[in-house]
């Protein structure tokens, strides 16, 4: 069995929301460069995903939402051919270009392929270095730089197609994964565990009291030591009690001290520590199986160092 699979695709670099947008293609370039320079890429099995199938998208999203994105893309391409603009705006922070729909299909496809490969025993774990990210994408709408909810789709795929009885989604992005919550709340086959800065984007945090959600709001300027204590006293006991057969990570790195998108104080060593804790739980309950998908992280230097720390830990190098 190989250790760590790494999913990436050239089309994920072509999705672009316009000049100066923080969720930019350079995020992936910074990650790739860092993994090359540090030699971590040598320890990874690099794979290209296929686009997600409609039937898998529909495990987490309405047919209307999927059709609307496809339709907007067709209209955009027609407008561009007639000399129109290269972007269509969906909300104040989220827009599409001609490649967005395909990149979103590949991003979701990577999470699904990683799930299949890890459950087949081909790899112990996997990291999906894809964009657009997913955790703000709700059942019936795109928002917050997200179009399809990659992790939620893969989690539903794991329970529906592979028959797993319990999977966990762990979200350490600085923002609340409101889309993931929207899709998985009330589905006892999926446990969502997160922390997020509060009050903050979007919508002031969790809005559900479903029993399969363990959301931990933390105030601005919370540091890594406090997060670690919360992980040990709140997350880990619940995860061990639930005993997931597979763990997904919504791996956002915008809680880093140097990331101006949020005001939390994590550093690379905190991501190493959290990743190790998650892997410990996975080894106790889930045969070590972890599928991690890139979410946020907008300071390119901090993002690339943090992803390196996270992936190096997953690959055990
Ligand atoms: Zn975020």
């Amino acid at each position: 069995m190989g250790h760590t699979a790494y999913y990436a695709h050239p089309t994920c670099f072509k999705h672009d929301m316009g000049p100066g947008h923080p969720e930019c293609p350079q995020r992936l370039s910074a990650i790739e460069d860092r993994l090359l320079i540090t030699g971590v890429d040598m320890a990874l099995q690099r794979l290209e995903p296929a686009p997600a199938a409609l039937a898998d998208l529909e495990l987490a999203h309405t047919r209307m939402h999927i059709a609307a994105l496809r339709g907007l893309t067709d209209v955009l391409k027609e407008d561009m051919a007639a000399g129109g603009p290269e972007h269509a705006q969906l909300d104040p922070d989220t827009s599409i270009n001609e490649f967005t729909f395909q990149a979103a299909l590949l991003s979701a496809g990577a999470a699904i392929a990683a799930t299949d490969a890890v459950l087949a025993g081909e790899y112990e774990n996997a990291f999906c270095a894809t964009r657009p990210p997913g955790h703000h994408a709700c059942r019936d709408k795109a928002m917050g730089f997200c179009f399809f909810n990659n992790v939620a789709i893969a989690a539903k795929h794991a329970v529906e197609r592979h028959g797993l009885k319990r999977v966990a989604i762990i979200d350490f992005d600085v923002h609340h994964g409101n889309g993931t919550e929207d899709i998985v709340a009330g589905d006892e086959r999926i446990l969502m565990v997160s922390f997020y800065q509060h009050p903050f984007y979007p919508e002031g945090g969790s809005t559900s009291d479903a029993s399969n959600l363990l959301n931990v709001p933390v105030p601005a300027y919370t540091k890594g030591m406090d997060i670690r204590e919360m992980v040990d006293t709140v997350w880990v006991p619940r995860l061990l009690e639930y005993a997931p057969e597979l763990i997904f990570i919504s791996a956002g790195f915008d809680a880093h001290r140097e990331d101006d998108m949020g005001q939390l104080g994590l550093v690379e060593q905190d991501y190493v520590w959290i990743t190790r804790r998650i892997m410990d739980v996975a080894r106790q309950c889930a045969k070590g199986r972890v599928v991690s998908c890139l979410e946020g992280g907008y300071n390119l230097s901090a993002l690339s160092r943090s992803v390196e720390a996270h992936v190096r830990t997953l690959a055990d190098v």
Side-chain angles (χ1 to χ4, degrees):
M1 180 173 79
H3 204 86
T4 299
Y6 181 88
Y7 288 86
H9 195 285
T11 300
C12 292
F13 290 75
K14 294 183 176 174
H15 158 56
D16 192 331
M17 294 191 281
H21 197 292
E23 206 291 276
C24 58
Q26 290 74 25
R27 298 176 64 228
L28 295 181
S29 317
I31 290 168
E32 298 272 348
D33 287 353
R34 182 79 192 179
L35 294 175
L36 278 170
I37 289 164
T38 55
V40 172
D41 72 301
M42 303 285 284
L44 308 173
Q45 178 64 47
R46 178 176 279 271
L47 298 163
E48 272 195 11
L54 182 64
D56 273 324
L57 297 178
E58 286 185 349
L59 294 173
H61 295 285
T62 60
R63 187 165 288 187
M64 278 298 293
H65 169 61
I66 302 161
L69 274 181
R70 189 196 298 273
L72 269 172
T73 304
D74 291 342
V75 170
L76 175 71
K77 286 180 180 169
E78 285 170 22
D79 286 352
M80 282 174 65
E86 292 179 4
H87 298 94
Q89 206 74 25
L90 301 187
D91 75 16
D93 354 272
T94 310
S95 64
I96 62 167
N97 72 354
E98 60 182 309
F99 301 108
T100 300
F101 187 71
Q102 191 64 17
L105 291 178
L106 288 161
S107 213
I112 293 165
T115 301
D116 291 341
V118 166
L119 288 177
E122 294 167 23
Y123 304 96
E124 183 170 73
N125 54 46
F127 183 73
C128 300
T130 58
R131 53 184 288 282
H135 77 152
H136 296 308
C138 299
R139 185 170 289 280
D140 65 355
K141 79 173 167 187
M143 63 177 278
F145 316 165
C146 301
F147 301 88
F148 297 132
N149 197 313
N150 311 315
V151 161
I153 291 166
K156 292 277 187 182
H157 173 86
V159 296
E160 294 286 348
R161 310 274 190 250
H162 291 278
L164 297 195
K165 293 183 174 58
R166 294 175 312 281
V167 303
I169 297 173
I170 299 178
D171 187 330
F172 57 64
D173 191 277
V174 77
H175 302 99
H176 176 234
N178 63 302
T180 310
E181 175 170 306
D182 178 53
I183 292 163
V184 310
D187 185 343
E188 297 292 339
R189 303 168 302 176
I190 303 173
L191 174 67
M192 177 186 180
V193 170
S194 81
F195 71 79
Y196 55 86
Q197 182 177 328
H198 182 72
F200 202 38
Y201 179 91
E203 297 163 10
S206 176
T207 55
S208 169
D209 57 4
S211 60
N212 67 317
L213 307 175
L214 178 59
N215 286 300
V216 182
V218 300
Y221 309 110
T222 299
K223 292 198 164 52
M225 277 305 167
D226 298 312
I227 294 293
R228 293 186 193 199
E229 187 181 344
M230 182 284 295
V231 168
D232 269 345
T233 58
V234 182
W235 276 14
V236 169
R238 180 69 183 276
L239 284 163
L240 289 175
E241 180 193 37
Y242 184 78
E245 299 162 279
L246 171 63
I247 296 178
F248 293 93
I249 304 178
S250 263
F253 298 92
D254 42 9
H256 194 284
R257 186 168 66 191
E258 294 167 32
D259 198 309
D260 294 334
M261 192 69 83
Q263 288 80 41
L264 296 188
L266 274 64
V267 296
E268 293 91 303
Q269 277 310 308
D270 295 314
Y271 291 115
V272 169
W273 188 94
I274 294 170
T275 305
R276 284 209 183 109
R277 275 293 187 277
I278 293 170
M279 291 172 75
D280 285 347
V281 173
R283 289 196 173 120
Q284 288 182 63
C285 315
K287 302 180 187 167
R289 300 184 292 209
V290 175
V291 171
S292 178
C293 299
L294 181 65
E295 300 281 4
Y298 303 99
N299 176 307
L300 298 182
S301 174
L303 170 68
S304 62
R305 285 181 277 124
S306 300
V307 170
E308 181 217 330
H310 176 62
V311 172
R312 184 187 283 283
T313 307
L314 287 174
D316 197 20
V317 290

